[in-house]
Amino acid sequence: MSGLTTEQQNVVDAPMVPLCVIACAGSGKTKTAVHRLVRMRCNLGAARGRVALLSFSNVAVNTFRKAYDDLASSLPSSPGRSRVDIDTLDGFITTHIVRPHGHRTMKSPRAAYLVTGNEAFLEGFKFPTSTFPQSIKALNLAFVNGKEVFFHVFNDQVNLVDDSVSRKLIARLGCTGAYTHDLGRYWAYRSLKEQPKLLAALARRYPHIVIDEAQDIGSVHQAILELLISAGSCVTLIGDPNQGIYDFAGADGKFLTNYHQRPGVQQHSLQKNFRSAPSIVDLANSLCGRGDVAERPAPTAPHGAFFIGYKRDQHRQVFTAFQVAMSAAGSDAKRSAILCRAKKQAGTMRGDDAPAGQGLVKAFAAAAVLRDRRQDFLKAFQRVAIAVVTLLDNAPNGLVSQITQPSSNPADRELRKVVWAFTRDKATGLPSSSLIADQEWHAQLLARIKVLLAKLESDFGFKQVANLGNKLTKKALPSTALTSAENLAHSDAKALRIDTVHKAKGESLDAVLYMATKEHAQALLDGVSTEVGRIGYVAATRARDLLWVAVPHNSLKDLRPQFLARGFKEVGAVATPVPGTKSMSGTGSRND
């Protein structure tokens, strides 16, 4: 893809009007969006207005920023070239609305700050439900027929929350300056509605906004964008409605699908798939009813779409068989993944069982396991920060956010460095999870926490709580290591990543194993009319060369005919000993 296709060039060269671009999986949306961004910036010349390119993940944002820097570096230097902002949609809202201006609408004497939901003071912010009081963190907002509706989700069921109760609770929290992820959008919307000069200024500053993955725009995001559109911002949407997998957030894809019907909006489509082998593109077309075309020729190595049955507790055997198939296909383990529909399912397959211990010790144990087994330093750091703040006497509201969120305040940055260093360093900070938990690990944790708290008092003035030992009891810790050597081996860089489909959205992977229940597999085979079906579609379309769908063995009788009808081929049943390359024999014969 050194150049642009005719479809892509049409998008790039389109006039400076709102666009609705419906793009298939693997169609080069990133490249097209960045080239369009450069063209828009060139068309605007030295105009003072800025162009925003927004998406929904930090991975996508980093990709866009690098691509824009590379492409724009060849252009003549001018003031306008740097008048581009690339961020997540939530990041854009937070940076330009909530943090600098939200406090006025919130009636707070301090700048707005994000809470994680684990802060001690949030115990006083709960709303009643039919079962038990829920934390304000669980309170969500959606727009239904233009009306604000508050709800919470419990046991996968959506439950409405009284409007008056919700608004009073949100207002009371807002007076402290605090907001949750969901309520940040609420305050952004209200700030624009109640501060018309702010809305006018923001639309003037950003006359053009391009949104990637626009099928993920939720109802509150849409309400904010509608305000900007009404104030004069020209909004372009790029996305694939078949990849809309955030129904729970009110993102049903209709904003993108229907956008072209508005006066002045120009419609475009991208139908060439540069990612996947022809057989996988054909499968995707059969699932969603499109007629997209594979740009790549069929690989000479074994490739295509396969299904396999597994019995209970045979996950590892399936994983090993899949790795054998990957080797035959020439797939890179670092660019491949095992994907699941649900976070809990992915955690179970990774072995992310709840760590031992109780209270704050359990939180520190979880952080140690995240760091050592999954190499997830960020989540480990966030858990450590929450636990450490809980050990401080009268910690100020928002301290967790000050530690975990980027800040220009030198004191906040120094505090962040101290907690980050404690999280990372096994030798002097959070002990290694390979130590015996109730003896070595706990003893080292207690001693090192005391050193950390002493530093926080001497350098920052934070005093520790009384009865520290009672809060860091070794009760419920086992007489074994938190993480065994065998589990640590699975965190090796060569091990396959196990994640949710939502986390892999937007990625291009050499090989994908979709671990499905019967319900998930049936939804995949039924197409993209349901959210679970679209989740399966997203999993399938991540794959460049090799796609496996694993289903419970007892469902094969019902599902086998449907898999075969869709163009899948069956891999031999998994049993001990693990099948070798023989199970992949003939894989290229039907799907080449």
Side-chain angles (χ1 to χ4, degrees):
M1 272 183 63
S2 56
L4 295 170
T5 66
T6 301
E7 291 177 332
Q8 294 169 335
Q9 194 69 56
N10 289 339
V11 173
V12 172
D13 294 339
M16 299 287 280
V17 299
L19 305 182
C20 176
V21 183
I22 305 297
C24 71
S27 59
K29 293 191 294 293
T30 298
K31 183 173 186 177
T32 305
V34 171
H35 275 79
R36 172 65 175 168
L37 184 64
V38 171
R39 179 58 55 85
M40 293 171 75
R41 193 59 265 176
C42 289
N43 289 346
L44 288 171
R48 296 191 63 81
R50 304 178 72 85
V51 181
L53 173 57
L54 309 176
S55 192
F56 287 85
S57 73
N58 290 324
V59 172
V61 167
N62 291 336
T63 301
F64 278 128
R65 285 174 178 166
K66 184 180 185 307
Y68 179 78
D69 288 344
D70 291 345
L71 190 60
S73 64
S74 62
L75 299 177
S77 179
S78 68
R81 195 173 77 181
S82 62
R83 290 176 186 154
V84 166
D85 287 321
I86 301 174
D87 204 345
T88 63
L89 182 51
D90 279 334
F92 179 84
I93 290 168
T94 300
T95 301
H96 297 287
I97 306 173
V98 181
R99 283 183 183 164
H101 306 288
H103 67 282
R104 289 192 288 273
T105 300
M106 298 165 78
K107 295 180 171 54
S108 167
R110 61 173 296 176
Y113 64 92
L114 175 69
V115 292
T116 65
N118 295 291
E119 290 80 358
F121 81 95
L122 289 181
E123 282 296 315
F125 293 89
K126 293 185 177 181
F127 59 90
T129 71
S130 58
T131 52
F132 54 85
Q134 288 272 11
S135 167
I136 193 171
K137 184 184 178 183
L139 187 62
N140 300 293
L141 168 70
F143 279 80
V144 180
N145 297 322
K147 181 182 177 181
E148 298 172 24
V149 175
F150 298 95
F151 66 95
H152 75 102
V153 179
F154 183 68
N155 287 337
D156 294 327
Q157 296 295 317
V158 175
N159 303 279
L160 297 180
V161 182
D162 181 81
D163 186 83
S164 176
V165 170
S166 299
R167 291 183 187 278
K168 288 179 180 177
L169 184 63
I170 294 169
R172 188 159 63 86
L173 181 65
C175 287
T176 72
Y179 65 91
T180 65
H181 279 291
D182 225 64
L183 296 183
R185 301 174 197 126
Y186 167 83
W187 287 118
Y189 174 77
R190 278 196 49 187
S191 295
L192 292 180
K193 286 281 289 185
E194 298 173 18
Q195 300 180 49
K197 290 183 179 179
L198 168 62
L199 174 60
L202 191 61
R204 186 166 56 250
R205 181 174 174 81
Y206 291 96
H208 293 275
I209 299 173
V210 180
I211 302 181
D212 178 49
E213 301 289 356
Q215 73 278 354
D216 295 336
I217 295 174
S219 61
V220 186
H221 283 139
Q222 180 179 343
I224 293 169
L225 291 171
E226 295 283 17
L227 291 175
L228 288 169
I229 291 170
S230 68
S233 290
C234 174
V235 174
T236 286
L237 305 182
I238 303 176
D240 179 4
N242 295 320
Q243 296 186 56
I245 59 174
Y246 290 95
D247 278 10
F248 62 86
D252 56 12
K254 291 181 181 177
F255 185 37
L256 169 63
T257 304
N258 299 330
Y259 193 55
H260 72 279
Q261 298 175 3
R262 301 188 181 200
V265 176
Q266 193 175 104
Q267 185 174 20
H268 292 265
S269 64
L270 300 176
Q271 294 183 291
K272 276 195 174 183
N273 186 314
F274 294 86
R275 174 185 299 150
S276 301
S279 56
I280 296 178
V281 175
D282 290 344
L283 168 66
N285 285 337
S286 75
L287 295 174
C288 69
R290 288 176 59 98
D292 302 317
V293 178
E295 180 70 10
R296 292 177 54 206
T300 56
H303 66 281
F306 303 84
F307 69 98
I308 186 171
Y310 65 90
K311 296 181 180 179
R312 183 176 296 182
D313 301 326
Q314 285 192 335
H315 297 150
R316 289 295 171 191
Q317 290 94 321
V318 174
F319 297 169
T320 304
F322 179 60
Q323 286 176 304
V324 171
M326 285 173 50
S327 179
S331 303
D332 187 336
K334 294 181 181 179
R335 295 197 304 267
S336 302
I338 298 166
L339 301 180
C340 303
R341 157 73 178 86
K343 183 186 298 184
K344 183 177 180 180
Q345 182 188 16
T348 299
M349 292 185 180
R350 282 193 302 256
D352 294 350
D353 298 324
Q358 66 178 28
L360 294 179
V361 168
K362 185 171 183 176
F364 283 117
V369 171
L370 281 167
R371 179 195 64 193
D372 298 343
R373 184 162 70 194
R374 292 181 53 189
Q375 306 295 299
D376 195 334
F377 287 87
L378 178 57
K379 286 186 179 177
F381 167 65
Q382 291 168 341
R383 297 203 183 196
V384 167
I386 293 168
V388 168
V389 169
T390 307
L391 292 173
L392 300 178
D393 187 33
N394 293 320
N397 293 346
L399 184 58
V400 172
S401 180
Q402 287 176 239
I403 295 173
T404 58
Q405 300 298 316
S407 172
S408 58
N409 187 314
D412 290 347
R413 291 203 301 269
E414 288 304 312
L415 180 57
R416 180 185 178 95
K417 286 180 183 178
V418 171
V419 179
W420 181 255
F422 177 85
T423 304
R424 289 194 62 198
D425 195 343
K426 297 179 186 179
T428 61
L430 184 65
S432 170
S433 60
S434 64
L435 299 174
I436 301 302
D438 65 347
Q439 299 172 32
E440 303 167 304
W441 185 84
H442 181 265
Q444 290 188 18
L445 175 70
L446 190 58
R448 294 173 185 179
I449 282 291
K450 290 178 179 178
V451 173
L452 173 64
L453 294 177
K455 182 173 180 61
L456 294 180
E457 181 172 358
S458 64
D459 293 1
F460 304 96
F462 298 122
K463 295 185 180 296
Q464 70 179 51
V465 295
N467 302 316
L468 180 65
N470 293 338
K471 294 184 177 296
L472 294 176
T473 175
K474 65 179 180 180
K475 185 177 180 180
L477 284 175
S479 298
T480 59
L482 291 171
T483 306
S484 68
E486 179 183 359
N487 283 330
L488 284 174
H490 287 303
S491 69
D492 184 83
K494 295 182 180 179
L496 273 176
R497 162 189 170 196
I498 303 176
D499 220 330
T500 63
V501 177
H502 288 82
K503 288 288 188 181
K505 192 168 178 291
E507 295 185 38
S508 180
L509 302 168
D510 283 4
V512 170
L513 167 58
Y514 181 38
M515 296 296 296
T517 64
K518 182 179 181 180
E519 176 194 2
H520 301 159
Q522 186 64 66
L524 164 68
L525 294 166
D526 288 343
V528 295
S529 59
T530 65
E531 183 185 33
V532 179
R534 292 192 294 274
I535 289 172
Y537 175 83
V538 170
T541 54
R542 298 312 90 202
R544 296 186 71 254
D545 298 317
L546 190 64
L547 169 67
W548 275 30
V549 179
V551 297
H553 189 270
N554 58 12
S555 67
L556 281 178
K557 182 178 179 181
D558 294 333
L559 296 178
R560 180 180 285 112
Q562 299 177 64
F563 271 115
L564 294 174
R566 285 292 191 189
F568 285 86
K569 297 204 312 184
E570 185 171 8
V571 179
V574 173
T576 304
V578 174
T581 55
K582 184 177 180 181
S583 65
M584 288 293 294
S585 61
T587 56
S589 60
R590 181 171 172 178
N591 288 327
D592 281 351

